[in-house]
Amino acid sequence: MLNFAKILIFFGFVLILLGAFFILIEKIPYLGKLPGDIYIKKGNFVFYFPLATSIIISILLTIILNLISRRK
């Protein structure tokens, strides 16, 4: 039962970090409006796919996780 409690605490902490990330991401300039992000607006239809933003976030997370995993 102790392991289950630790898992719940871990996931709660992850959800808090994700919530803070989504609040703070709006304050980062140009994120989501980069060249390479696909934005199509036709009449009543809007399609948005942040391709360039996704690639940059993926590269940054890869670098951070590689730095963390090498310390162990």
Side-chain angles (χ1 to χ4, degrees):
M1 199 66 163
L2 184 61
N3 288 335
F4 184 67
K6 288 181 181 180
I7 290 171
L8 285 177
I9 291 171
F10 173 75
F11 281 118
F13 185 69
V14 169
L15 286 174
I16 290 171
L17 288 177
L18 279 173
F21 175 73
F22 284 124
I23 290 171
L24 295 175
I25 199 164
E26 295 176 355
K27 297 181 181 186
I28 299 173
Y30 304 113
L31 193 63
K33 299 173 188 138
L34 296 172
D37 290 345
I38 300 170
Y39 181 78
I40 300 171
K41 183 176 182 181
K42 290 187 179 181
N44 205 15
F45 174 76
V46 176
F47 177 76
Y48 176 69
F49 185 73
L51 184 63
T53 303
S54 299
I55 292 171
I56 289 174
I57 290 173
S58 175
I59 291 170
L60 289 174
L61 285 175
T62 301
I63 292 169
I64 291 169
L65 291 175
N66 279 330
L67 290 174
I68 291 172
S69 68
R70 288 186 185 183
R71 290 185 180 185
K72 292 182 179 180

